[in-house]
Amino acid sequence: MKSRTLSILFLVAITAWAQPKKTQPSPTADNLELRHLFADDMHDRGSEPFDFDENGKPVPHKEWKESPDMPKNDAIRQKRVREMLNEGTVRTTNDYVWASFIFQHGQTPDDYLLAHVLGMIAASKGDKIGRWIAAATLDRYLQSIRQPQVFGTQFVPGAKGEMTQGEYKNGLLSNSIRAAMCVRPYEKQVEQVKQAQKQPETADFNTGQFPCP
């Protein structure tokens, strides 16, 4: 009986050893076409979003000029990204961040709402920029439906052309919640508004807080 038990155990061990080992799947690659669309989106707005090429090598920072064709280009990019979403080719954290930025530059509440959902997916995957764009797109969506923003990421011209934050329910969220979404504290935003009104040519409209928790 003992000999038979040992034989069975030996056969089980041999069978287990003979099974092919499971390998970890390779990480999904970023959508390079979407990466280029995002770069073009930023270039049309006069900025360079990448300091490294696709191989990770540093590249010189290039200053871009705002494009007069920006609205037309935005619509073309958004149409293509919608196609990608329907095709299921927006998959990685970076993909969702880039797509969110592209739709943040849309024209309708639905564009901003979609941008918010895409940002939330990136945030759920642990991306800190995804957290900020999720907050910024929510504010932009709220403004587009004539509701006050809640994070304070948006700056708009006032009645006399002065820069303001428009309607802003600043007491709804605490600074700790803003920090959790990588947004600067309310007091810092107040300073930014004052500076923008005093010296608009040197105004800082960046509301991201990095590093964030």
Side-chain angles (χ1 to χ4, degrees):
M1 184 68 179
K2 183 177 180 181
S3 175
R4 183 181 176 188
T5 302
L6 289 174
S7 297
I8 292 172
L9 291 173
F10 178 74
L11 287 172
V12 170
I14 290 294
T15 302
W17 178 81
Q19 294 294 323
K21 294 183 179 179
K22 292 183 179 180
T23 58
Q24 292 294 328
S26 300
T28 303
D30 292 336
N31 183 325
L32 292 184
E33 182 186 357
L34 182 51
R35 185 183 195 274
H36 289 307
L37 290 174
F38 170 65
D40 289 343
D41 180 89
M42 294 290 107
H43 295 165
D44 274 357
R45 288 164 170 78
S47 64
E48 171 57 64
F50 301 116
D51 293 323
F52 298 88
D53 66 17
E54 291 167 7
N55 297 315
K57 294 182 180 179
V59 294
H61 183 81
K62 181 177 180 180
E63 295 296 330
W64 297 80
K65 292 183 179 180
E66 187 170 306
S67 170
D69 296 324
M70 186 165 57
K72 180 181 72 174
N73 294 341
D74 283 345
I76 293 171
R77 283 187 287 265
Q78 289 152 19
K79 180 177 182 294
R80 178 60 186 132
V81 176
R82 284 187 187 277
E83 292 171 350
M84 291 178 178
L85 290 167
N86 290 334
E87 294 163 359
T89 55
V90 179
R91 297 183 294 261
T92 70
T93 300
N94 284 334
D95 290 348
Y96 283 107
V97 169
W98 299 334
S100 180
F101 271 95
I102 288 171
F103 280 104
Q104 186 201 27
H105 297 146
Q107 299 294 324
T108 69
D110 280 354
D111 290 336
Y112 309 137
L113 187 57
L114 176 56
H116 175 64
V117 172
L118 296 170
M120 287 300 295
I121 294 173
S124 73
K125 291 175 175 287
D127 190 87
K128 292 186 176 183
I129 295 177
R131 292 193 225 167
W132 180 85
I133 193 65
T137 50
L138 176 60
D139 278 347
R140 189 160 293 190
Y141 171 72
L142 288 170
Q143 286 183 333
S144 74
I145 59 172
R146 302 182 183 279
Q147 295 296 314
Q149 64 173 321
V150 294
F151 282 99
T153 60
Q154 305 299 298
F155 295 88
V156 296
K160 299 180 180 179
E162 79 285 7
M163 196 57 65
T164 74
Q165 290 179 293
E167 290 189 62
Y168 181 8
K169 194 177 290 186
N170 59 70
L172 179 66
L173 305 179
S174 66
N175 282 337
S176 62
I177 293 178
R178 290 189 178 89
M181 296 297 284
C182 303
V183 177
R184 288 180 178 178
Y186 173 66
E187 293 75 16
K188 178 63 177 177
Q189 297 170 15
V190 171
E191 293 176 9
Q192 288 178 274
V193 171
K194 290 179 180 178
Q195 181 65 21
Q197 294 175 351
K198 187 177 180 180
Q199 294 179 301
E201 65 280 358
T202 60
D204 173 19
F205 298 119
N206 174 28
T207 57
Q209 176 173 283
F210 299 99
C212 63

